[in-house]
């Protein structure tokens, strides 16, 4: 099965049935208490400064976000679909980041459910599947990076890859996105040129080791170069998935840009990455984030 072992999922469900049932009962109880006693004095801790001023009704505080997002691993198995989602155990300490992960997972589940609903009473030849794993790959006082990798299968030859990266800035309480990372079009041109060169060199090395005649080799190189050029056009959208890499000083020494299948190569090439060193990227980084980078 694609990305998820149905037998393992069923064993885990049996072994953790009692735990899930008690956890669900506790969660429902907490929601009911919060709904019935929203205005009671013991439903929330007072502000640190002792003030009692109410927050505007349309603004969520960090505590509100933390209370509204509870990340729990998901293991579900039905005749129509198998779902497996896992989260880092301690990510709730960053409420805004936790909400972003929850939103991403909910969107992925929503698309799977839409496909399942489309089946009606039919049973698919192979169960539809959502397999998604969130992993914390970096944590410093300035940066927290979470990767999301998985697939969603709703029929066909293979599943749809799910690839995302989340870069959280704890001190600013905000996400670092590609359009904030690089300040202008000139910067994206520098990133595009560097990554394009790396990918083309990689393809040329691989193809040259294969047994093909010169004409076939040249055509394969041209086809690969076109796909790379399309997927690395100099815009923030094409470089939206990235994760900083840090040195021993905690500063960013390089940024790893992540490309899901089909963006810069065929599905068979899988997810591809290119590390852009700080020396190439730092001159084009927005001033608000320049301090995150190593000086070289």
């Amino acid at each position: 099965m694609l990305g998820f072992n149905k037998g393992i999922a069923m064993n885990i469900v049996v072994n953790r049935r009692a735990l899930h049932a008690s956890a669900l009962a506790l969660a429902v109880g907490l929601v009911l208490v919060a709904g019935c006693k929203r205005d009671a004095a013991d439903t929330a801790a007072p502000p640190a400064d002792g003030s009692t001023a109410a927050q505007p009704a349309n603004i969520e505080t960090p505590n509100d976000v933390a209370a509204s997002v509870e990340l729990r691993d998901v293991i579900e198995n039905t005749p129509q679909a198998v779902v497996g989602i896992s989260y880092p155990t301690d990510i709730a300490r960053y409420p805004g980041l936790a909400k972003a992960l929850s939103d991403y997972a909910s969107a992925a589940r929503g698309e799977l459910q839409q496909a399942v609903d489309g089946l009606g009473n039919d049973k698919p030849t192979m169960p539809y599947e959502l397999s998604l794993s969130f992993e914390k790959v970096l944590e410093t006082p300035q940066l927290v990076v979470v990767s999301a990798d998985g697939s969603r299968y709703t029929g066909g030859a293979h599943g749809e890859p799910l690839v995302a990266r989340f870069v959280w800035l704890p001190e600013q309480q905000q996400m670092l996105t590609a359009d904030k990372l690089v300040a202008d079009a000139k910067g994206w041109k520098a990133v595009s040129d560097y990554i394009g060169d790396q990918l083309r060199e990689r393809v040329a090395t691989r193809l040259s080791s294969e047994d093909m005649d010169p004409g076939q080799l040249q055509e394969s190189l041209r086809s690969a170069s076109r796909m790379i050029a399309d997927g690395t056009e100099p815009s923030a959208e094409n470089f939206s998935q990235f994760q900083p890499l840090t040195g021993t000083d905690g500063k960013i020494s390089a940024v790893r840009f992540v490309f899901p299948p089909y963006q810069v190569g065929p599905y068979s090439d899988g997810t591809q990455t290119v590390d852009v060193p700080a020396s190439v990227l730092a001159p084009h980084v927005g001033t608000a984030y320049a301090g995150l980078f190593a000086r070289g």
Side-chain angles (χ1 to χ4, degrees):
M1 177 169 294
L2 295 170
F4 191 86
N5 188 295
K6 180 176 179 180
I8 293 175
M10 293 178 67
N11 288 337
I12 296 176
V13 169
V14 171
N15 293 337
R16 298 178 61 185
R17 190 185 303 255
L19 176 60
H20 284 182
S22 60
L24 178 60
L26 176 59
V28 171
L30 290 174
V31 170
L32 291 175
V33 170
C36 295
K37 299 184 178 181
R38 188 179 303 274
D39 299 325
D42 60 349
T43 57
D49 60 2
S51 66
T52 58
Q55 293 289 336
N58 62 340
I59 297 179
E60 277 193 327
T61 67
N63 285 338
D64 293 331
V65 174
S68 62
V69 177
E70 186 175 6
L71 300 181
R72 293 187 178 186
D73 291 356
V74 177
I75 298 176
E76 297 177 357
N77 188 4
T78 71
Q80 289 185 314
V82 177
V83 178
I85 303 174
S86 63
Y87 298 98
T89 56
D90 59 348
I91 210 67
R93 62 186 295 194
Y94 307 105
L97 175 57
K99 186 176 188 305
L101 305 188
S102 176
D103 290 346
Y104 183 87
S106 295
R109 290 196 71 178
E111 293 190 22
L112 178 74
Q113 188 59 50
Q114 185 176 18
V116 170
D117 291 343
L119 292 171
N121 295 323
D122 295 337
K123 181 179 178 180
T125 305
M126 289 183 62
Y128 287 178
E129 177 189 336
L130 172 64
S131 176
L132 183 58
S133 174
F134 294 96
E135 180 182 355
K136 185 169 60 181
V137 296
L138 176 67
E139 184 174 26
T140 73
Q142 293 78 36
L143 293 163
V144 180
V145 181
V146 173
S147 65
D149 293 286
S151 67
R152 179 176 48 233
Y153 177 73
T154 56
H158 50 68
E160 173 192 358
L162 299 175
V163 179
R165 297 295 184 268
F166 302 85
V167 183
W168 183 252
L169 305 176
E171 294 177 344
Q172 291 90 344
Q173 289 292 296
Q174 65 179 17
M175 201 74 71
L176 177 58
T177 54
D179 58 335
K180 296 177 183 176
L181 176 67
V182 174
D184 52 34
K186 181 181 178 181
W188 285 123
K189 180 64 166 59
V191 171
S192 174
D193 288 346
Y194 183 90
I195 290 179
D197 288 345
Q198 295 294 310
L199 291 172
R200 282 187 289 271
E201 181 179 347
R202 190 181 299 173
V203 169
T205 300
R206 175 171 58 82
L207 291 178
S208 63
S209 66
E210 298 181 4
D211 185 19
M212 58 178 68
D213 61 63
Q216 185 182 11
L217 175 60
Q218 290 302 315
E219 179 56 35
S220 295
L221 286 172
R222 281 193 293 269
S223 177
S225 294
R226 285 193 296 268
M227 198 163 192
I228 290 170
D230 290 342
T232 60
E233 289 186 356
S235 67
E237 182 180 2
N238 280 330
F239 303 97
S240 59
Q241 305 305 332
F242 65 91
Q243 61 186 81
L245 308 176
T246 58
T248 56
D249 59 356
K251 298 292 186 178
I252 297 175
S253 58
V255 172
R256 176 169 296 165
F257 288 91
V258 183
F259 304 97
Y262 297 122
Q263 182 173 346
V264 295
Y267 182 86
S268 59
D269 284 354
T271 298
Q272 300 191 62
T273 66
V274 175
D275 295 351
V276 178
S279 58
V280 173
L281 195 58
H284 308 289
V285 169
T287 53
Y289 311 104
L292 297 172
F293 283 76
R295 295 182 179 181

